[in-house]
Amino acid sequence: MEKFIIDGRYGQLLAANGVQPQEILTKAKLPVDTFAHERLRLSESEYFAMISAINDVTDDPLLPTKLVASDHIETFSPPIFAAYCSKNGEQFLQRLAHYKKLVGPVAYQIIEDKTSTTISLSTLNIHEQLPPFFVKGEFAFMVQLLAKATKKVIKPLKITTTFSEKNTSIQDYFGLNFTLDTSNTITFSNSDLQIPFVSENTSILECLEPELKKRLADLDIDDSYGKRVRNVLVEILPRGEFSIEDVARALGISKRTLQRKLKGENTNFQQQLNATREMLAKNYLLNTSMTTDDIAFLLAYQETNSFLRAFNTWTGMSVQKYREQHN
């Protein structure tokens, strides 16, 4: 069963906006320690059960917009951050659509015409109506990040929903009335989507995209613990975290359980750590101009020489020779 990664700070966001996280978990029938982990892994049904529970317990119609207005919301996951580093809104939406499956059980369909672009939301597998709370939050997320990245007020041209929305405060937020229809869509002006992003960062994209593309390719074919360990390491290595305890904590299991799971797959934690470091090192060397010192730092090596020795062990050649042969 596919599990989608949700940032563990979500529980803190709820609490900061007057919603008791434990009440949500109880109502959604999720483990009581769910929000205690840095990275939440929820199935599609679990994810929407959580969203529906939030909708049921709140009487604040603007809560979906407040949650996505959090400081640094763009850093909640590498796929979102990659989209935020795009050159404009058009590229931002395309990247978001491409990588969305890595962070949530929803698909974006983008339809463009001469003057506007429409994004339609749908579930991946459960074939049920999206919860209204989720739809409003997803649309607010797009509006918020477009405004933040351009430093401009960008309002949609049209919003259609499968539910009737009569609350004036939420409609005032978007600057228009929702239209009842058979799909959940939001439409933007193409001219607004061409406004340059002040957050454009090609260097970060060069670092992030090779691994994101690999994770997309692996998503449907590898549900192993080895893959889960590698996915965690990709996110925590730049923070200097690389121990089995760090990874087990992020996965919400004990160190002993993780060791047993990996042994059952004929591997171990050190092999997965080495494989992740090697993969990232090659990506950095081939797709960026970063120095060996920078790469060693991102791979959580205490000394550059330790990285250089490890790279020679993996490839049988020096970093300089590897770059020369592959460029």
Side-chain angles (χ1 to χ4, degrees):
M1 180 184 296
E2 279 185 336
K3 294 278 188 173
F4 300 91
I5 300 172
I6 312 300
D7 193 280
R9 289 171 286 179
Y10 202 82
Q12 298 173 21
L13 285 182
L14 292 173
N17 285 277
V19 178
Q20 296 300 318
Q22 291 306 311
E23 182 181 3
I24 300 302
L25 297 177
T26 300
K27 192 172 184 64
K29 298 180 179 179
L30 293 172
V32 294
D33 65 341
T34 295
F35 289 128
H37 307 301
E38 288 185 18
R39 292 152 45 93
L40 317 181
R41 286 185 172 271
L42 303 178
S43 68
E44 191 168 0
S45 58
E46 289 171 338
Y47 180 88
F48 287 124
M50 180 184 73
I51 296 298
S52 295
I54 298 170
N55 185 70
D56 290 344
V57 304
T58 184
D59 56 3
D60 182 358
L62 288 176
L63 182 60
T65 71
K66 293 176 180 177
L67 293 179
V68 299
S70 170
D71 290 340
H72 308 301
I73 191 73
E74 70 278 4
T75 67
F76 268 38
S77 73
I80 294 174
F81 194 41
Y84 185 69
C85 293
S86 299
K87 66 179 181 180
N88 56 32
E90 178 186 16
Q91 193 178 76
F92 163 78
L93 291 172
Q94 289 171 348
R95 278 204 173 95
L96 208 54
H98 188 61
Y99 294 128
K100 189 64 179 179
K101 191 179 178 184
L102 290 174
V103 294
V106 65
Y108 284 13
Q109 181 181 8
I110 300 178
I111 302 172
E112 299 180 32
D113 61 30
K114 291 182 179 180
T115 61
S116 64
T117 296
T118 298
I119 303 91
S120 177
L121 306 182
S122 62
T123 56
L124 290 179
N125 301 308
I126 60 176
H127 306 301
E128 296 178 4
Q129 293 287 352
L130 286 166
F133 187 94
F134 174 84
V135 173
K136 289 179 281 189
E138 200 72 11
F139 289 163
F141 168 75
M142 294 182 207
V143 170
Q144 286 274 1
L145 281 194
L146 284 171
K148 187 172 185 178
T150 60
K151 303 299 182 184
K152 305 284 185 182
V153 176
I154 294 180
K155 294 294 185 181
L157 300 177
K158 183 179 181 180
I159 290 178
T160 71
T161 55
T162 58
F163 53 89
S164 180
E165 179 59 58
K166 301 299 184 183
N167 191 280
T168 56
S169 60
I170 193 73
Q171 294 182 356
D172 288 345
Y173 171 85
F174 288 103
L176 48 73
N177 295 329
F178 292 13
T179 301
L180 186 62
D181 208 329
T182 57
S183 59
N184 297 296
T185 70
I186 186 167
T187 301
F188 295 99
S189 164
N190 285 344
S191 60
D192 283 342
L193 297 181
Q194 293 304 314
I195 299 173
F197 274 21
V198 299
S199 58
E200 181 182 8
N201 192 320
T202 54
S203 297
I204 289 179
L205 282 173
E206 287 176 349
C207 298
L208 288 175
E209 290 212 290
E211 174 56 20
L212 292 177
K213 289 175 181 177
K214 182 181 183 301
R215 284 165 62 178
L216 271 180
D218 289 347
L219 194 60
D220 295 324
I221 61 174
D222 184 1
D223 193 30
S224 66
Y225 264 84
K227 174 205 167 187
R228 294 179 66 182
V229 167
R230 295 192 301 274
N231 283 344
V232 171
L233 285 168
V234 165
E235 295 197 14
I236 69 174
L237 277 171
R239 301 201 300 260
E241 300 175 7
F242 59 92
S243 71
I244 189 171
E245 289 83 4
D246 293 327
V247 173
R249 189 182 310 112
L251 290 173
I253 59 177
S254 68
K255 172 184 173 181
R256 182 171 296 181
T257 296
L258 179 55
Q259 289 173 322
R260 185 174 67 252
K261 294 289 187 182
L262 291 174
K263 185 177 180 180
E265 296 173 2
N266 296 315
T267 186
N268 59 50
F269 178 75
Q270 189 61 48
Q271 288 175 331
Q272 295 304 317
L273 175 60
N274 291 341
T276 304
R277 280 173 157 168
E278 179 182 357
M279 174 191 65
L280 290 175
K282 289 177 178 178
N283 278 333
Y284 294 146
L285 290 170
L286 297 181
N287 296 294
T288 79
S289 58
M290 286 193 297
T291 67
T292 52
D293 287 343
D294 290 337
I295 294 173
F297 175 79
L298 287 173
L299 298 181
Y301 282 99
Q302 298 297 316
E303 298 178 351
T304 301
N305 284 339
S306 297
F307 162 61
L308 295 176
R309 288 194 297 270
F311 190 84
N312 186 268
T313 300
W314 301 329
T315 64
M317 64 181 74
S318 68
V319 166
Q320 181 179 356
K321 186 176 181 181
Y322 184 85
R323 257 184 169 149
E324 290 172 352
Q325 287 193 2
H326 292 82
N327 285 331

